[in-house]
Amino acid sequence: MSKGTINVSVDNIFPLIKKFLYSDHEIFLRELISNATDATLKLKHLANIGEADGVEYGNPIIEVKLDKEKKQLRIIDQGIGMTAEEVEKYINQIAFSGAEEFIEKYKDKDGKDAGIIGHFGLGFYSAFMVAEKVEIITKSFKDEPAVHWTCDGSPEFTLEKADKKDRGTEIILHIAEDSTEFLEESRISELLVKYNKFMPIPIKFGTRTETLPKPEDAKEDDPAPTKEVDNIINNPNPAWTKAPTELEDKDYNEFYREMYPMQFEEPLFHIHLNVDYPFNLTGILYFPKMTNDMSIQKDKIQLYQNQVFVTDNVEGIVPEFLTMLRGVIDSPDIPLNVSRSYLQADGAVKKISSYITRKVADKLKSLFNNDREGFEKKWNDIKIVIEYGMLTEDKFFDKAKDFALYPTVDNAFYTFSELKDKIKDSQTDKDDKLVILYASNKEEQHSYIQAAKDKGYEVLLLDSPIVTHLLQKIEGSEEKVSFVRVDSDHVENLIKKDDEQISKLSDEEKETLKTFLDGVIPKEKFTVQLEAMDSNANPFIITEPEFMRRMKDMQKTGGGGMFGMGGFPEMYNLIVNTNHELVSEILNTKTDKKKERLVNQALDLARLSKNLLKGEELTAFIKRSYEMIK
């Protein structure tokens, strides 16, 4: 037996490792199983290239064993193993020098932005975050004796021969008093499923009972036979590790259910990522059915590194608009810090992000070209992602022109170029600007939509929460195009033509009417405007100017700049149609009381069509209406 002292100058390195090495102690198990996997795969590689003479690779597994009584957790592999010399080198020298360098660099920080993983052995020392003593019993695949290494969390260690006969490594953790949660079977099972669900080597954790088919001669009441089998917690060959040619749609859907067992709806479609230059990346992204609530969608994509789960916060790797998708990305080339949980921003990540954006755009274009009808049916379920991408990623915005759709209130779908061709003759104003009309709520804005349709105009239905921001961007990229919501002005003013209506009222009559209306209609809510319109148009129409409304909408969803419109009181224009007979009747009514009653009734009808009449005011309107028809 030999004893030794690890040559480090930092005092009490273990408490520092425990505090700073990882921000989350639970990942010790992930690190130890990752090491066991690496050791197994190294043996496989050596066997494949003929460097492991006389060694049969077989079907190795990694086993996790729990002994609550002895307060021990063991991780056993059948991998490459280590000789005494290798233990001395990799555990006592390289690992500690790496740990020391790490501590020196980051001991005054919180550890969250800690250095790049890759110091061989640092993963192993995460064991000391939860264990008061750690043992390694290991036998190399080479014809050398097994060794037993022990360390109690001080710089002293012992190294002696062991009687282990089979190749591989066993790590024994003597769990510390402050970490007894890791002696609970449910906790270990939870961590194995979380981090190691798709590791490439089978991982055994206990056994489970499997029900066998009944024998043919069994009676109906006979219980089905059972047997105890290894409880393998992982799928070593997940779908993303296979070539797309090996998979069918049902395979992709089965893998989706494996990743998201609580999702009962099938994904709309998937995108298989597979690139090996200039970086390595594989994965599968799924478009689930979306809602307009962007806040609840994110953090469903899982990031793996060589099939080891790292994080479900993929911000920075995946463009923000795609964080609403689901699926998995696996890349050994994404630089991660020592806790494997925080990204270092660099060129590789930017290239990966651009690649994913391009792949998604290409897939959407392909779906649109190959099955437009099917794409249109899915549009409402995927539009929030596409519109968000158009808003936030310029390259995606350019590509999306080929497949982004603009639906109408009548469920017709146009690309932007198709839409322009469709409406250029009827919706170009006197200044040669193309005016695109839209509604955000088909029910609430029905009367305004109908007025526009009666004029032969096409009305889009754009109801995403970010649509206001997107319209600003489209207007900035297109010459002589503007979007106008149907309730932002009366129909004659939405698309101004050269021909103007002549008012039936004289200037004097208009002045008299305006003075009366200003005395009755609350100034803090409405700005009264007299307009000559078609006599069949409504007498009173409430509108909200496009610019003011957009500023408010943009501030609600982030934006709006210095204007701060979100805090402004609601202000509307009340447009009074001077050519409507009710307006003439109001003007010619003798008593002010009756005149005021007509104005209030007409105003409330306009408010009702704008969905602004509620509560006490709605009750008063109903009561007044009944009195008028007695």
Side-chain angles (χ1 to χ4, degrees), residues 449-502:
I449 294 167
Q450 195 58 50
K453 286 173 68 176
D454 288 346
K455 295 282 283 185
Y457 298 151
E458 199 74 65
V459 181
L460 301 181
L461 180 61
L462 305 175
D463 56 3
S464 301
I466 56 167
V467 79
T468 307
H469 298 270
L470 181 58
L471 298 186
Q472 294 279 110
K473 183 161 184 172
I474 296 171
E475 287 170 345
S477 71
E478 296 279 340
E479 282 188 28
K480 291 199 166 188
V481 169
S482 68
F483 286 82
V484 178
R485 205 167 84 176
V486 285
D487 59 348
S488 63
D489 211 329
H490 70 82
V491 73
E492 307 290 340
N493 274 355
L494 289 174
I495 305 172
K496 289 189 177 176
K497 306 284 186 178
D498 286 327
D499 48 327
E500 287 192 14
Q501 291 274 355
I502 297 168

Side-chain angles (χ1 to χ4, degrees), residues 588-600:
N588 297 321
T589 296
K590 301 299 181 192
T591 67
D592 284 353
K593 189 174 182 183
K594 187 178 179 186
K595 201 183 282 191
E596 191 175 318
R597 197 179 191 193
L598 287 171
V599 168
N600 284 329

Side-chain angles (χ1 to χ4, degrees), residues 133-148:
K133 183 169 85 169
V134 178
E135 298 177 67
I136 304 173
I137 302 170
T138 182
K139 179 169 175 26
S140 172
F141 74 101
K142 300 168 189 172
D143 188 19
E144 292 198 31
V147 292
H148 184 178

Side-chain angles (χ1 to χ4, degrees), residues 180-364:
T180 53
E181 64 179 287
F182 301 112
L183 291 170
E184 298 298 329
E185 190 175 317
S186 59
R187 181 71 169 124
I188 296 302
S189 183
E190 173 199 345
L191 295 182
L192 290 172
V193 169
K194 178 177 178 180
Y195 290 109
N196 306 107
K197 189 175 180 181
F198 299 112
M199 292 288 278
I201 306 297
I203 299 165
K204 176 186 174 183
F205 183 50
T207 59
R208 60 183 176 82
T209 304
E210 189 175 87
T211 303
L212 301 173
K214 284 186 180 183
E216 286 184 14
D217 57 350
K219 294 177 182 174
E220 193 175 331
D221 294 339
D222 288 350
T226 61
K227 70 170 181 176
E228 286 297 300
V229 296
D230 289 349
N231 180 35
I232 303 298
I233 59 93
N234 59 322
N235 170 5
N237 301 295
W240 84 80
T241 64
K242 300 172 184 175
T245 50
E246 296 177 47
L247 301 166
E248 297 177 3
D249 282 348
K250 70 177 182 62
D251 299 313
Y252 286 107
N253 288 344
E254 282 172 10
F255 179 61
Y256 182 77
R257 282 193 292 274
E258 188 176 352
M259 288 197 73
Y260 308 104
M262 300 309 291
Q263 286 297 314
F264 302 110
E265 287 187 325
E266 298 285 311
L268 297 166
F269 53 86
H270 62 266
I271 300 166
H272 198 129
L273 307 169
N274 194 347
V275 63
D276 53 19
Y277 182 82
F279 48 81
N280 280 292
L281 181 140
T282 54
I284 301 169
L285 296 180
Y286 293 92
F287 269 75
K289 282 195 172 186
M290 296 287 176
T291 69
N292 273 349
D293 184 357
M294 291 158 58
S295 61
I296 62 169
Q297 306 283 346
K298 296 187 179 182
D299 294 339
K300 300 292 184 186
I301 295 176
Q302 297 179 6
L303 177 65
Y304 286 74
Q305 197 179 67
N306 295 322
Q307 293 177 238
V308 183
F309 174 75
V310 176
T311 180
D312 53 13
N313 178 5
V314 293
E315 196 176 336
I317 305 164
V318 174
E320 189 181 356
F321 77 99
L322 294 177
T323 58
M324 292 184 279
L325 302 187
R326 294 188 173 142
V328 57
I329 290 169
D330 189 331
S331 175
D333 292 333
I334 294 171
L336 299 166
N337 74 351
V338 78
S339 71
R340 300 196 191 197
S341 302
Y342 299 88
L343 277 170
Q344 312 288 326
D346 76 346
V349 170
K350 290 186 179 74
K351 284 176 188 167
I352 287 170
S353 180
S354 295
Y355 164 77
I356 293 170
T357 301
R358 190 176 73 250
K359 280 289 283 189
V360 169
D362 291 346
K363 176 73 173 186
L364 291 167

Side-chain angles (χ1 to χ4, degrees), residues 105-121:
K105 193 170 180 184
Y106 294 106
K107 62 183 178 182
D108 294 328
K109 299 187 180 182
D110 62 7
K112 286 188 176 179
D113 58 347
I116 306 295
I117 203 154
H119 299 300
F120 187 96

